């Protein structure tokens, strides 16, 4: 059958903590999903605006090609091919060249005659008409019957012999009277046609691109990506030709990928294009991390309240009931005139009955209680004395094992020697050691940790000679140094720990300084605040050292902490010299 305390804790967990934890988890998931949707929705709107600008640029090139294929001189030249028309054509050719040079998007102008032969405005080589007629590009131009057909940089480009990335537009030139095919016009369009447009998508580490249905990147501001496959695991979702977003890995990095179909159709086998925006997940996770942290904070506060509720209410009542019932059975033979009132709760009623039977014996038990309290104080100190962080030994042994695997004999020997020094002082039966032995103990610990942390920190030790042979409570420096290594230094931070010892005003003092990231102001206030009613089971690190110093030397001695989030932390330890203990 469950005890009273267990019933209360179980009810608290089921009816308060469990709903809070579930609510926090659901809130985090909903907030994360909502944020993803919001960012993707905004990105889709941006992609739509970019798509409109892309179509505007494409329309300008299409309009230029309309002018070319409807030019009277070009129609006359392709129809008659006589010398007079040739002269007129070259005169008009200069005007077309001027327009092309005035339009930075057009890199070259090529004109094929149906009867054979070609004319173009650059000195580069172009495919012969027979080769052109055998290409899939020619077949698609014929199929479209005068409508523009585009070749992307990711496709076979026979018209860019200098290996430039460019778009190519091809159209049939038809006789405006008979609609017979007279020739074919090819426009080589610069890659920077879309550069200024896609810079709107590029924000921080986010960027956009055009991808065809075959999964090839046809345009990107990063020219190295053009022609390469858009390699993600869920590309089939993008091929659905619908707008949306997904989380996938791109270039080895988790990213939010937003996509939508483009209005730009190439008029070829892979005519459908998708506009893609890629935003690294780490940029988005900054906002989501804030949501997660707030959720964890709320859950953590709930757990803290639960712990405090158990510690300061349920546990005290339960322990009081159990201890009092135990003591009442020993005192049932005596009686006094004072009586406790009765309670409706069964447990409290039992306490009242037991107390009424025990009160007559209180005077005789006072001395025993005083003696018992002294024993409890001694037992509490012994428990605190032994609460030196056990996982340090495990980490050290793991380091030794790793070094042994790599045959690092010098480091293994060094760590083993220092670990032996640590164990010798740790298992010493006395409470006090000489200051020089305490200093040697913490130096051995630091030497081990330097190997473990790959020499990412250094230390300095300076102790006055007069202090070295004074007795001091053992194992008070190592927990503080360990706390510095865990909390004060970042991975990329070069740490420095300074330990000094001196005698001032007849008292011994240690100063432990670090150049780490310091403590927040509220944390510092909590650590320095004198807590009259500390939990019976002290913690590790700073609290452990403070409580042991107070229990052994008295409340006039202990720790004082000064810290700045910029300049690091300084901890002062004060202890008596010789006969000053327990003052």
């Amino acid at each position: 059958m469950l005890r009273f305390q267990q019933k209360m804790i179980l009810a608290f967990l089921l009816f308060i903590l469990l709903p809070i934890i579930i609510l926090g988890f659901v809130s985090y998931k909903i907030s994360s999903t909502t944020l993803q949707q919001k960012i993707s929705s905004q990105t889709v709107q941006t992609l739509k605006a970019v798509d409109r600008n892309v179509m505007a640029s494409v329309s300008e090139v299409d309009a230029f090609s309309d002018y070319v294929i409807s030019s009277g001189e070009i129609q006359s030249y392709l129809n008659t091919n006589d010398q007079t028309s040739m002269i007129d054509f070259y005169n008009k050719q200069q005007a077309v060249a001027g327009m092309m040079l005035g339009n930075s998007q057009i890199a070259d102008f090529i004109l094929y005659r149906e009867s054979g032969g070609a004319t173009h405005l650059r000195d580069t080589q172009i495919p012969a008409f027979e080769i052109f007629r055998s290409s899939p590009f020619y077949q698609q131009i014929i199929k479209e019957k005068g409508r523009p057909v585009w070749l992307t940089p990711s496709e076979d480009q026979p018209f860019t012999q200098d290996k430039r990335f460019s778009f190519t537009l091809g159209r049939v030139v038809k006789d405006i009277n008979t609609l017979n095919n007279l020739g074919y016009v090819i426009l080589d369009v610069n890659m920077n046609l879309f550069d200024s447009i896609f810079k709107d998508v590029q924000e921080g580490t986010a960027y956009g691109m055009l991808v065809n249905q075959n999964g090839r990147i046809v345009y990107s501001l990063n020219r190295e990506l053009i022609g390469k496959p858009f390699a993600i695991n869920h590309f089939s979702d993008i091929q659905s030709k619908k707008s949306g977003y997904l989380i996938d890995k791109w270039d080895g990095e988790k990213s939010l990928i937003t996509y939508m179909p483009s209005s730009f159709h190439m008029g070829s086998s892979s005519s459908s294009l998708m506009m893609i925006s890629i935003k690294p997940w780490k940029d988005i996770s900054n906002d989501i991390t804030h949501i997660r942290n707030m959720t964890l904070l709320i859950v953590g506060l709930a757990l803290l309240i639960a712990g405090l509720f158990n510690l300061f209410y349920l546990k005290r009542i339960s322990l009081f009931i159990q201890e009092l019932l135990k003591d009442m059975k020993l005192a049932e033979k005596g009686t006094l005139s004072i009586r406790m009132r009765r309670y409706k709760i069964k447990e409290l009623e039992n306490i009242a009955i037991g107390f009424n039977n025990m009160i007559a014996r209180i005077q005789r038990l006072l001395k025993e209680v005083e003696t018992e309290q002294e024993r409890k104080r001694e037992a509490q100190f012994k428990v605190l004395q032994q609460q030196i962080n056990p996982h340090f030994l495990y980490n050290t042994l793991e380091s030794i094992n790793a070094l042994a695997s790599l045959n690092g004999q010098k480091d293994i020997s060094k760590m083993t020697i220092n670990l032996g020094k640590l164990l010798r002082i740790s298992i010493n039966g006395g409470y006090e050691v000489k200051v020089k032995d305490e200093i040697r103990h913490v130096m051995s610990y630091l030497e081990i940790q330097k190997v473990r942390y790959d020499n990412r920190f250094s230390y300095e030790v300076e102790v006055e000679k007069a202090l070295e042979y004074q007795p001091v409570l053992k194992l008070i420096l190592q927990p503080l140094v360990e706390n510095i290594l865990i909390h004060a230094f970042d991975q990329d931070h070069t740490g420095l720990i300074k330990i000094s010892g001196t005698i001032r005003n007849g008292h011994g003092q240690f100063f432990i300084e670090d150049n780490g990231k310091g403590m927040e102001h509220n944390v510092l206030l909590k650590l320095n605040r004198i807590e009259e009613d500390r939990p019976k089971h002290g913690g590790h690190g700073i609290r452990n050292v403070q409580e042991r110093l107070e229990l052994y030397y008295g409340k006039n001695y202990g720790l004082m902490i000064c810290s700045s989030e910029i300049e690091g932390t300084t901890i002062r330890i004060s202890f008596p010299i010789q006969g000053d203990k327990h003052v």
Side-chain angles (χ1 to χ4, degrees), residues 330-336 339 354-362:
L330 299 175
E332 285 181 351
K333 295 180 180 179
T335 58
L336 289 176
R339 295 292 184 270
F355 179 80
N356 290 338
N357 293 329
M358 184 186 66
I359 197 68
R361 308 286 297 180
I362 285 181

Side-chain angles (χ1 to χ4, degrees), residues 4-136:
F4 174 72
Q5 181 188 5
Q6 293 173 331
K7 292 178 182 178
M8 293 297 294
I9 293 176
L10 183 61
F12 188 85
L13 290 174
L14 289 178
F15 297 109
I16 298 179
L17 279 186
L18 185 60
I20 289 177
I21 294 174
I22 294 175
L23 179 62
F25 177 78
V26 173
S27 299
Y28 168 68
K29 285 297 183 181
I30 293 176
S31 300
S32 301
T33 304
T34 302
L35 184 60
Q36 294 174 24
Q37 292 174 345
K38 182 178 179 181
I39 293 175
S40 296
S41 177
Q42 293 174 349
T43 306
V44 167
Q45 296 303 317
T46 302
L47 290 178
K48 288 181 179 179
V50 170
D51 188 52
R52 289 193 293 269
N53 293 334
V54 167
M55 289 307 300
S57 298
V58 171
S59 297
E60 290 182 8
V61 178
D62 287 342
F64 182 82
S65 68
D66 290 339
Y67 170 77
V68 171
I69 65 175
S70 62
S71 168
E73 286 77 6
I74 291 179
Q75 289 276 327
S76 176
Y77 169 65
L78 295 177
N79 258 317
T80 61
N81 198 22
D82 58 15
Q83 189 65 28
T84 301
S85 295
M86 180 71 76
I87 294 173
D88 291 340
F89 170 69
Y90 278 115
N91 290 334
K92 190 61 177 178
Q93 185 184 52
Q94 298 304 314
V96 174
M99 291 181 62
M100 184 198 74
L101 295 175
N103 188 341
S104 60
Q105 275 71 344
I106 307 301
D108 197 6
F109 171 86
I110 306 170
L111 184 67
Y112 285 104
R113 295 192 301 273
E114 181 69 24
S115 59
T119 301
H120 75 291
L121 298 180
R122 293 183 64 185
D123 295 332
T124 56
Q125 294 183 352
I126 60 172
F129 182 65
E130 291 74 14
I131 298 176
F132 168 63
R133 290 190 65 175
S134 62
S135 68

